[in-house]
Amino acid sequence: MIASSAGVSQDLDERARDIFRRLVETYLDTGEPVGSRTLSREGVPLSAASIRNVMADLTDMGLLYAPHTSAGRLPTDSGLRLFVDAMMETGDPTSSERHAIEHQLAGTERSFDDALAEISQTLSGLTNTAALVTTVKTDTPLKHLEFVATSPGQALVVMVAEDGQVENRIVETPAGLPPASLIEAGNFLNARLRGRTLSEARAEILREIEQERNEIDELTARLVAAGIAERSEDANRTSTLMIRGRANLLEPDAPKEDLARVRMLFDDLERKQDVIHLLQAAADGEGVRVFIGSENPLFSLSGSSVVFAPFRNETQRVVGVLGVIGPTRLNYGRVVPVVDYTAEAVSRLLK
């Protein structure tokens, strides 16, 4: 994709590049078709007729199109790709944007999932888009495990991984289980699980329970087994997805065609597993990735763009992806560095 954009960019002379860049920047700012007179008034040192001739050439190249019979032009998805890859100027997030991100991640009195939910809400607000975050549920070494009584016959198993991820499970507790057994079961498992994955230790722990019945009583042993049991419903649920800020996609007084596009996008977002698969494509590369319009088969009909980046734990393994989704008329030059900075901030939190 990038090589193709670079090739097209080399085919444009300086005049065509300048007109194309100005047209795209004006479109991203206004959302309206851009005509030759508009560009002439904005400082292009050519007559309106000369600008129209260049715009016609750019249209023939597939970089611009006319939405209707007016003289104005809009960039195609290929045109926006060329702009993002070869012409877009990006800077650093502003001090207020950096402060908002760092402030939201400060503090330790939350689970990692809660911190992600809050930072995704912040990311949505900063970019005026919907924010997407997915975390991959992998079998990582555990730091701590605890049983918490929730109701008669049930307990919550809280598992904290060394990379900061938290998983909660509800398990059935044996009838007549004394409260002290919850503590005993947690201590038993923590002594054997710390620094090991659940799959690594599961068979050994179950074998030890069977062989060393005198170490823990029958009811506690059953609770331990329930706490580390594999659950079939988890087998196909390898990732979670958070979506924040959908209301940002509904602009006041939007034309009917835009509302139809947003409704279609909402329907796409409901297919969460497909969205997760799309976001996890970011794990295959470094830094921020941008999918524009038809480049992304999932959201192609809704005319949306996705900007996302992976975040990593202290071992540099990708443990999740965050980003934003909005119309193709995103302010890419501002959104890309904000997404990048947020992913780096979450990675620092995990370290």
Side-chain angles (χ1 to χ4, degrees):
M1 194 77 67
I2 294 176
S4 175
S5 296
V8 173
S9 178
Q10 292 174 359
D11 292 338
L12 299 179
D13 59 29
E14 185 175 346
R15 183 175 68 173
R17 282 177 59 89
D18 182 55
I19 289 174
F20 177 74
R21 179 183 57 79
R22 289 174 183 262
L23 185 147
V24 174
E25 289 176 346
T26 301
Y27 161 69
L28 294 179
D29 185 50
T30 66
E32 300 292 333
V34 182
S36 57
R37 292 188 181 277
T38 299
L39 294 176
S40 180
R41 287 194 298 267
E42 291 185 357
V44 176
L46 294 171
S47 67
S50 296
I51 295 174
R52 280 195 297 273
N53 290 334
V54 174
M55 291 170 62
D57 292 340
L58 293 169
T59 301
D60 291 341
M61 295 177 67
L63 300 177
L64 303 178
Y65 75 100
H68 41 72
T69 56
S70 74
R73 294 291 187 273
L74 296 176
T76 62
D77 291 346
S78 297
L80 286 173
R81 168 54 60 190
L82 171 63
F83 174 79
V84 168
D85 287 347
M87 301 180 185
M88 180 179 70
E89 296 181 0
T90 61
D92 295 325
T94 66
S95 58
S96 61
E97 289 169 341
R98 293 196 302 271
H99 174 76
I101 294 167
E102 299 289 352
H103 177 73
Q104 196 62 263
L105 290 174
T108 58
E109 300 302 319
R110 297 168 299 175
S111 70
F112 180 59
D113 285 346
D114 288 342
L116 279 183
E118 292 173 12
I119 195 60
S120 61
Q121 191 68 53
T122 298
L123 180 60
S124 170
L126 290 174
T127 58
N128 197 33
T129 61
L132 309 173
V133 179
T134 182
T135 56
V136 182
K137 285 187 177 294
T138 54
D139 200 12
T140 55
L142 292 176
K143 181 179 181 181
H144 180 73
L145 183 146
E146 184 175 351
F147 291 91
V148 180
T150 56
S151 61
Q154 285 191 332
L156 180 69
V157 187
V158 182
M159 289 182 284
V160 182
E162 288 189 344
D163 62 9
Q165 295 192 64
V166 179
E167 181 178 354
N168 299 323
R169 290 184 180 182
I170 294 290
V171 297
E172 302 296 322
T173 57
L177 183 76
S181 291
L182 295 171
I183 299 175
E184 183 182 0
N187 291 339
F188 180 87
L189 286 174
N190 281 319
R192 292 156 177 80
L193 281 173
R194 189 183 301 273
R196 305 171 68 188
T197 68
L198 199 58
S199 59
E200 287 172 346
R202 181 181 288 113
E204 180 181 326
I205 291 173
L206 293 175
R207 184 168 56 251
E208 183 177 346
I209 291 175
E210 189 64 31
Q211 294 174 351
E212 304 290 340
R213 285 289 181 178
N214 59 333
E215 185 169 347
I216 55 175
D217 61 50
E218 177 67 25
L219 293 181
T220 304
R222 288 168 59 187
L223 178 61
V224 167
I228 62 174
E230 292 183 279
R231 299 197 309 173
S232 59
E233 62 264 34
D234 282 343
N236 297 319
R237 186 171 61 85
T238 58
S239 302
T240 59
L241 175 68
M242 301 177 190
I243 304 174
R244 297 291 186 273
R246 296 188 193 208
N248 287 335
L249 302 174
L250 291 167
E251 297 182 6
D253 304 320
K256 289 183 178 180
E257 56 268 25
D258 282 359
L259 294 177
R261 176 188 64 78
V262 172
R263 281 196 294 269
M264 191 176 298
L265 174 57
F266 283 177
D267 289 341
D268 290 337
L269 290 174
E270 289 303 316
R271 291 152 47 197
K272 291 189 174 182
Q273 203 59 42
D274 291 338
V275 179
I276 288 171
H277 291 157
L278 168 68
L279 292 178
Q280 288 178 348
D284 298 331
E286 295 290 334
V288 181
R289 297 190 64 180
V290 180
F291 283 168
I292 299 173
S294 57
E295 294 177 352
N296 168 17
L298 177 57
F299 301 125
S300 60
L301 295 179
S302 63
S304 303
S305 287
V306 188
V307 180
F308 50 90
F311 50 90
R312 303 171 184 272
N313 64 9
E314 72 280 0
T315 65
Q316 291 302 303
R317 185 173 60 83
V318 173
V319 293
V321 180
L322 60 81
V324 301
I325 184 169
T328 54
R329 188 177 66 83
L330 283 177
N331 185 344
Y332 297 96
R334 177 172 171 267
V335 170
V336 167
V338 170
V339 169
D340 190 31
Y341 188 87
T342 305
E344 289 179 355
V346 172
S347 296
R348 289 196 298 273
L349 174 69
L350 288 171
K351 294 173 185 177

